[in-house]
Amino acid sequence: MHTPATAESILEQALLQGRWTLFERLPAERRLAEELGISRATLRTALRTLVGRGILETRRNSGTFVRTLPCAPQTSGPDDSLQAMSVVMPPLLSAVAGSFAPSVMLTLERLLPSVGMALHSGDMRLLARHHLHFFSTLLQAVPNARLAQAGACTLPDERTLTRLLEGCSQARLEELFKHLARTLHGLRHADPQASVAAVTAYVSCLLQYREESR
Amino acid sequence: MHTPATAESILEQALLQGRWTLFERLPAERRLAEELGISRATLRTALRTLVGRGILETRRNSGTFVRTLPCAPQTSGPDDSLQAMSVVMPPLLSAVAGSFAPSVMLTLERLLPSVGMALHSGDMRLLARHHLHFFSTLLQAVPNARLAQAGACTLPDERTLTRLLEGCSQARLEELFKHLARTLHGLRHADPQASVAAVTAYVSCLLQYREESR
């Protein structure tokens, strides 16, 4: 017997795999429940949750429609976060660099020593976590929630970044650290272009290291 | 009594509201269940679903961690999809314009007459849907899944776009149509710069119309 949570995952997977396109109407409840092999009550609970999450939309007298593409990790298609990050992060930073509150700079400044310590400890998993924490702190301070989400979609996951950092020499890890420090420096001194250049260099370095290690 | 689906929504809302940051460990199950006022069994089911969705991560002997920021519509903070779209879509298109399959162009070409018909029918909801369908078709063809997700986060929802189009004169609606047609024309003739310029003009127009109608 499927639970509503399982039914919800099944529906979400189907959406991610493109079974229905944006704004398409889902099949009638009875048919959909049969297709998925679940009870109509379970299906209805799952549909309500997906409506609540803003993924589906119910229109009176006309059915249930796909409202947005779910933004969970996709299972199909290559998933190159570094390339996505290189496309999205520089223009994102360029657009919002002037609007960060001083408290954000303070948080980022406190993060940098942790990055430095992890670098010298040789714990690449911890280092990857601190690198990602740097970017997620930046993104959480982006005043436009949609833009922050778009940026968050492009952050590599911890495992991917850890593996990449494990292949880097100490000199290269220090270069990455410098780019993070320069990103912050540009933000602190109201020099968005310097931040954009630094973040571009950061992602380019990672892409180059990955290329060389293949 | 909360269902696992409700518990999942509660957890997701807490994540969206920044209750725990990226990579932070969630409280122990017993404490978390108490805080949320749900049974441990229900909590465990909800946690498993969130792990399955890639939002949380379980590490052996150390607990449950935040793996990615959920990418559902946020409830806090301004949510300006048009500004986000103006930042993300041009560089996205610039990065991938050369890699679309001919079948995508065909789908987009078939869409354009529908846009034209909706324009002349005066049904702005239908027109908004076709505009969004144009961009979602583009995004579904982006070969990098993360980049496609980032782009999808910036699409305005149907209601917002409908309201905006309702305030536009016929001449402006035709201008928007031309920008969509030029975006496609650039893609078909392997002229990424023309597509990027057209999509930039498209979003700029919408931003300008919104500014004027305030």
Side-chain angles (χ1 to χ4, degrees):
Chain A
M1 220 23 228
H2 286 304
T3 65
T6 317
E8 187 191 341
S9 299
I10 293 171
L11 278 167
E12 203 174 356
Q13 277 308 312
L15 285 163
L16 285 168
Q17 285 159 12
R19 171 111 166 249
W20 304 288
T21 63
L22 198 56
F23 312 123
E24 192 175 336
R25 181 167 56 193
L26 265 55
E29 265 180 29
R30 183 194 302 262
R31 216 186 97 202
L32 190 54
E34 271 171 23
E35 274 182 34
L36 302 175
I38 57 179
S39 74
R40 286 183 68 178
T42 303
L43 175 64
R44 265 198 293 266
T45 308
L47 289 175
R48 262 200 302 274
T49 309
L50 287 166
V51 169
R53 287 175 52 206
I55 291 170
L56 298 179
E57 176 185 22
T58 310
R59 294 189 205 139
R60 201 177 289 268
N61 298 326
S62 55
T64 305
F65 293 78
V66 181
R67 188 167 163 262
T68 52
L69 297 169
C71 210
Q74 293 198 358
T75 47
S76 63
D79 181 0
D80 187 348
S81 51
L82 281 184
Q83 192 232 350
M85 196 179 174
S86 75
V87 172
V88 172
M89 284 299 282
L92 186 152
L93 210 52
S94 176
V96 301
S99 58
F100 287 119
S103 63
V104 179
M105 317 293 171
L106 200 65
T107 310
L108 290 173
E109 257 165 58
R110 285 179 182 153
L111 256 173
L112 272 188
S114 315
V115 178
M117 280 193 289
L119 198 165
H120 293 290
S121 76
D123 182 344
M124 290 304 114
R125 181 161 188 169
L126 185 65
L127 183 59
R129 202 170 300 167
H130 287 319
H131 274 228
L132 290 171
H133 200 179
F134 183 91
F135 287 104
S136 64
T137 304
L138 260 184
L139 288 172
Q140 282 178 350
V142 167
N144 179 336
R146 294 283 197 116
L147 200 50
Q149 284 169 34
C153 287
T154 73
L155 292 188
D157 62 33
E158 192 182 301
R159 195 166 304 181
T160 306
L161 189 57
T162 302
R163 232 175 271 157
L164 197 52
L165 296 179
E166 278 168 357
C168 288
S169 65
Q170 194 71 9
R172 287 179 158 180
L173 294 175
E174 278 166 17
E175 196 185 345
L176 288 170
F177 176 78
K178 271 184 206 154
H179 293 316
L180 289 185
R182 280 184 191 137
T183 303
L184 177 56
H185 190 264
L187 292 175
R188 281 183 58 203
H189 294 83
D191 185 353
Q193 285 191 317
S195 287
V196 173
V199 90
T200 305
Y202 174 87
V203 190
S204 302
C205 276
L206 282 177
L207 283 166
Q208 192 195 327
Y209 300 168
R210 186 178 68 180
E211 202 47 51
E212 287 173 15
S213 66
R214 269 175 181 171
Chain B
M1 218 26 224
H2 285 305
T3 65
T6 317
E8 188 193 340
S9 298
I10 294 171
L11 279 167
E12 204 175 354
Q13 277 306 312
L15 285 163
L16 284 169
Q17 285 159 11
R19 170 110 169 251
W20 305 289
T21 63
L22 198 56
F23 313 124
E24 191 175 337
R25 182 167 55 195
L26 264 55
E29 265 179 28
R30 183 193 302 263
R31 217 186 97 203
L32 190 54
E34 272 171 21
E35 275 182 33
L36 302 175
I38 57 179
S39 74
R40 287 183 68 178
T42 302
L43 175 64
R44 265 198 293 268
T45 308
L47 290 175
R48 261 201 303 274
T49 309
L50 287 166
V51 168
R53 287 175 51 205
I55 291 170
L56 299 178
E57 177 185 22
T58 311
R59 293 187 206 141
R60 199 177 290 268
N61 298 326
S62 54
T64 305
F65 294 78
V66 182
R67 188 166 164 261
T68 52
L69 297 169
C71 211
Q74 293 198 358
T75 48
S76 63
D79 181 0
D80 187 349
S81 51
L82 281 184
Q83 192 231 350
M85 197 179 173
S86 75
V87 172
V88 171
M89 284 299 283
L92 184 153
L93 210 52
S94 176
V96 301
S99 58
F100 287 117
S103 63
V104 180
M105 316 294 171
L106 201 63
T107 310
L108 290 173
E109 256 164 58
R110 285 179 182 155
L111 257 172
L112 273 189
S114 314
V115 178
M117 281 193 289
L119 198 165
H120 293 291
S121 77
D123 182 345
M124 291 303 115
R125 182 163 186 169
L126 185 65
L127 183 59
R129 202 172 299 166
H130 286 320
H131 275 228
L132 290 171
H133 199 179
F134 183 90
F135 288 105
S136 65
T137 304
L138 260 184
L139 289 172
Q140 283 177 350
V142 167
N144 178 337
R146 293 284 197 116
L147 199 50
Q149 284 169 35
C153 287
T154 75
L155 291 189
D157 63 34
E158 193 182 300
R159 195 166 302 182
T160 306
L161 189 57
T162 302
R163 233 176 270 155
L164 197 52
L165 296 179
E166 278 168 357
C168 288
S169 66
Q170 194 72 9
R172 287 181 159 179
L173 294 176
E174 277 166 19
E175 196 185 344
L176 288 170
F177 176 79
K178 271 185 206 151
H179 293 317
L180 289 184
R182 281 185 189 135
T183 303
L184 177 56
H185 190 265
L187 292 175
R188 282 182 59 202
H189 295 83
D191 185 355
Q193 285 191 317
S195 288
V196 173
V199 90
T200 305
Y202 174 87
V203 190
S204 302
C205 277
L206 283 177
L207 283 166
Q208 192 195 326
Y209 301 167
R210 186 178 66 180
E211 202 47 53
E212 287 172 15
S213 66
R214 270 176 179 169

